[in-house]
Each structure stands twice: as structure tokens, then as C-alpha cells.
Amino acid sequence: MSSSARRALMDEVSGRLRGSRVLWFGLRGEDIESLSDLPELTASASVIAAWDGSTRSSISLDSISGRRVDLDVYDIDAMPMGPSEQILLDTMTSWITDPTVLLPYRPSAFAMSLGLVEPQTTVLGALAASNSSLDDKPWVETTLARRGVRTVPWVYVRSPDNTAVRTILRSRRSVIRPERSSGGVGLRLVSDTHELRSILADTPARFLCLAPFFDGAISINAAGVVWRDGISLHPASVQIIGDDSFTTRRFGYCGNDFAAFHDLGLATARQLEEMTLSVGEWLQSLGFLGAFGVDALLHQGAVYFVELNPRLQGSSAASALASRDAELPCVYLEHLASLLGFACPLERRPLLDQPVAPSLVVMHNVSGCDQRAAPVDTLSEWRPSERVVRRDLRPNPGTLVAPNAAFLRVFLETSITDSGGSIDPARRNQILSLGKPILGES
């Protein structure tokens, strides 16, 4: 694929849009930065972090309400329509004065409502097949296991009194999780039958999921796009999980190190690539189109499937910036092109041939209580020696930041982790110093 591939696809997308405007709807408004050169992109609406898109219209739920929510527990489709959500929807509606294509980060009932009440609006991916089922982790992992994908050996339990559970608990520490979760919410370590019995008694669920804890495993991630006739790949990374400087959750997502993935070797890359393509082909068989991601664990040389993300991911912003800088189609551009019905690119770029994206770390409010964002002039703090290439997600001054809500995302041009996926202490201190002016010690 030539270095002009991005421009060529961008021009084709513009031609297919035929003058329609594009409205981005995502969790984070600033995620769409890599498509800032798409002429038809005229507006952005999001749950947090309104995009500073120059002349574009932009709004976010936290800029309306004055409160930054925890994206791992807040779901705009599951929440009742409060006053702030109504203002968000009314504002988006007011922007639709000409034919508009709504580009969501995932299929969304909230987004779909615009297509129902505004005839000039086409909501891309709104009716993706089986999307609700794709958030059902047990169904996804058991289906993929039957198709030959190596998965973490989960056992689904209502009672600790069965042979499989006793075997897992006897051999080592175990991980327990709910049927559905995001960003590590609800995942816990459990060490014995008594502890498991207590968790089961306190959890109102049909069942819980139990698996051996892979001590020393490295969390990795790959991204792709499902097209009507193929699968394309995007940069893979080592994931930063459970760093208590940046999250209160034992298995909470904190960021990605893309350069570190290249140090894991060809065998690991091939396993993850094969797994990602297998998952993508299965999604394609369901009628799914657009971006997706695969979380996996590297344990003793083997790669195990952990989770499907049937949407754009938290790491997509970093990978997209690297693709754009390399003049390659980024995951956002391909997500849009796929949903518009384009054919898959002829050349598939292997994971180890992808551009190396900047590392990123997401800082969350770890104080355990609401914190108010202080006014801060981030531009005055930039120092080239810091090797920080971008910072975003900063809440407006005075915004009330909920516990575990993200308040800063830092992009660094170098690898920031050791061989096990832990952040280098010097880098950690550097990143923490950037967050202190916003929430203090958090």
C-alpha cells in the first residue's frame, strides 16, 4: 500500500458522501482528531471531552452537566434521558440542516433516535447484527472456542460446589468477573471457596465467570476493521492494566505501549494476528461492519483470547494518529469507509509492519470521591524534553470529576513499560506531574 493510500481513500469517501455532512458521536470527542482533515466532518458530540475542532461545532455531555462520568459504568443507551442528555440530543438535532451522516463509535440507540426523527440523517452501523449479543462475554468466548480460538478457560458458576470450581481454586489464585463488564469493572481475584461463596451470595446475577489467574501474563491488544469482503488490521499494543497510580481497579485499563508489542517477537505477533483475523471473520459472518478490537493474554508463549471490543477502542486515538502521520488510512477512516460499504483494501498490513503509535496513559480519579477540576493553562507547561506529543481529555475548569472517571490522557513518543507491561517509575512520575495541576493529588 503506497504512502498516498490515506489521501486516496479520503477522496473516495468524500465522493461517496456526495456533499453530506459527517457528525461524529463517540465517548470522547477528542478521539476524532485523526479525521480533522476530512472536509465533510462538521460536528462532534460526545459523552466527555468536547473536540476542539477549530471551526467545527462541538459539544459533550460533561460540558453541559458540569460532571465528568466514569465511562466504564455510564452507558448513554441504558440511562434514562435526563436534562443534560436531552440538551445533547436537541443540540445534535439542531445541527442537522442538510443531509447528514452520523458516524458513531459503536451502534447506539441514542444515535439511532436521530435517524428516526430526522429524515435527512443516515446513522451508520445503527442496525449492526447481534451487537447486543457481542457484549455478552460468555456467548462470545464459547462461540469463538468452538471455532478453534484459544480462549481463557472460564467456568460459569452459580455455586462453588462443583468439581471444576474446586480444581481451579485448589491450583492457584483465580479471577472472577460478571457476565458483562467494561474496563476491568467487576473483575476480582479470589483465593478460596469461602471467598467465592461470599461473592456469589452478594452478587445479584444469573452466574459469575471463574478462571485461573495467569500470573505474569502480559495483556495485549490488536485492532481491525470488518469490511463486506475482508478484514484489515491496525496497530497492536501491550496494555497497561491495574496500575494503582492511575486506576482503583485491579484489572482497570490504564493505557497502551505500542512499541513494546514489537519486542514480544514474531511468534506472539503471528498468534495475535491469526486470532484477530479469526474473530473478524466471525464478526463478518454475523453481518457486523466497522472497527473492532481483541484483548488477549500472552502466557508462557501462548496467546489466549480475553475479550472482544465490537467498537472503536480507547487505544484507537493513538494508533490513528500514527497511521495518519505515516499517510496510511487510520482506523477511524476505515471504520467510516467500511460502514459506507467500501470494499476491503487489497493489501493487508501485518501487525509488525504497522506504524508504531505513541504510548498513551489514561489518568483516572483515584481519590474515591468526586473531585473538582482546577483551572490550568496546559500550554504553558509543555517542555520538548518531556517527549510528550499530545495531552487531551482535560475537563473544563470547575467540572466535577466522578470517582474512576478519566481526567487526562497523555501520549508519549517512546516506550514507557518494562517487559511485563508495568510503567517505568521515571515515566510514571513524569505522567503524574502532568495530572497534579488538574486534580491535585487526586
Side-chain angles (χ1 to χ4, degrees), residues 21 57 84 114 136 166 187 214 250 254 284 307 325 333 340 352 363 372 383 395 431:
R21 299 177 178 180
S57 301
S84 297
L114 275 177
D136 187 323
R166 287 196 296 270
L187 273 74
F214 289 170
R250 174 62 180 80
C254 302
Q284 185 185 58
E307 183 171 279
D325 289 347
L333 180 56
L340 287 171
L352 289 182
M363 301 188 68
R372 196 168 295 280
R383 296 189 183 96
I431 296 163

Side-chain angles (χ1 to χ4, degrees), residues 9 34 54 74 85 87 91 105 127 238 246 276 304 336 422 436-437:
L9 182 57
S34 66
S54 183
Y74 177 87
E85 287 82 1
I87 292 172
T91 302
Y105 87 104
L127 300 177
V238 169
F246 304 111
T276 304
Y304 293 81
L336 172 57
S422 298
K436 285 180 181 177

Side-chain angles (χ1 to χ4, degrees), residues 170-188:
R170 188 164 51 246
S171 62
R172 66 188 101 173
R173 288 187 298 170
S174 304
V175 178
I176 194 165
R177 65 140 215 252
E179 295 175 66
R180 296 172 183 248
S181 66
S182 174
V185 175
L187 273 74
R188 300 174 56 177

Side-chain angles (χ1 to χ4, degrees), residues 46-304:
S46 57
V47 177
I48 71 167
W51 179 45
D52 181 14
S54 183
T55 59
R56 274 88 163 190
S57 301
S58 182
I59 193 171
S60 63
L61 192 64
D62 63 348
S63 67
I64 299 168
S65 67
R67 179 175 175 80
R68 172 72 60 90
V69 297
D70 174 3
L71 293 178
D72 291 325
V73 296
Y74 177 87
D75 183 349
I76 198 167
D77 290 334
M79 299 293 180
M81 283 286 288
S84 297
E85 287 82 1
Q86 190 62 59
I87 292 172
L88 180 65
L89 187 60
D90 289 345
T91 302
M92 294 169 68
T93 302
S94 72
W95 289 339
I96 302 171
T97 58
D98 295 293
T100 299
V101 170
L102 180 59
L103 175 64
Y105 87 104
R106 70 166 189 185
S108 164
F110 184 87
M112 184 58 187
S113 64
L114 275 177
L116 294 174
V117 301
E118 290 295 329
Q120 296 189 96
T121 304
T122 301
V123 182
L124 298 180
L127 300 177
S130 306
N131 195 76
S132 177
S133 297
L134 295 177
D135 287 325
D136 187 323
K137 299 180 188 299
W139 178 76
V140 169
E141 59 210 12
T142 54
T143 302
L144 290 174
R146 287 195 293 267
R147 294 173 66 94
V149 175
R150 183 193 291 118
T151 63
V152 171
W154 292 100
V155 173
Y156 309 110
V157 300
R158 287 183 56 82
S159 165
D161 300 319
N162 69 61
T163 302
V165 172
R166 287 196 296 270
T167 300
I168 292 174
L169 291 174
R170 188 164 51 246
S171 62
R172 66 188 101 173
R173 288 187 298 170
S174 304
V175 178
I176 194 165
R177 65 140 215 252
E179 295 175 66
R180 296 172 183 248
S181 66
S182 174
V185 175
L187 273 74
R188 300 174 56 177
L189 284 175
V190 59
S191 57
D192 54 44
T193 304
H194 175 76
E195 187 177 0
L196 176 59
R197 196 183 301 277
S198 175
I199 293 171
L200 288 168
D202 293 341
T203 306
R206 294 181 300 169
F207 59 86
L208 292 173
C209 313
L210 184 73
F213 175 63
F214 289 170
D215 197 17
I218 298 175
S219 180
I220 54 180
N221 171 272
V225 173
V226 179
W227 308 72
R228 58 180 171 83
D229 58 348
I231 313 297
S232 60
L233 296 171
H234 288 270
S237 65
V238 169
Q239 297 199 111
I240 303 166
I241 302 295
D243 189 310
D244 60 12
S245 294
F246 304 111
T247 180
T248 62
R249 294 174 175 133
R250 174 62 180 80
F251 298 98
Y253 166 76
C254 302
N256 304 79
D257 189 330
F258 290 85
F261 178 79
H262 289 250
D263 297 332
L264 298 179
L266 182 59
T268 296
R270 283 179 172 170
Q271 288 184 68
L272 183 60
E273 186 169 310
E274 180 180 342
M275 177 181 291
T276 304
L277 292 173
S278 295
V279 172
E281 289 162 2
W282 173 63
L283 289 171
Q284 185 185 58
S285 74
L286 299 176
F288 180 94
L289 292 174
F292 73 101
V294 170
D295 291 336
L297 288 177
L298 173 61
H299 179 61
Q300 297 180 353
V303 174
Y304 293 81

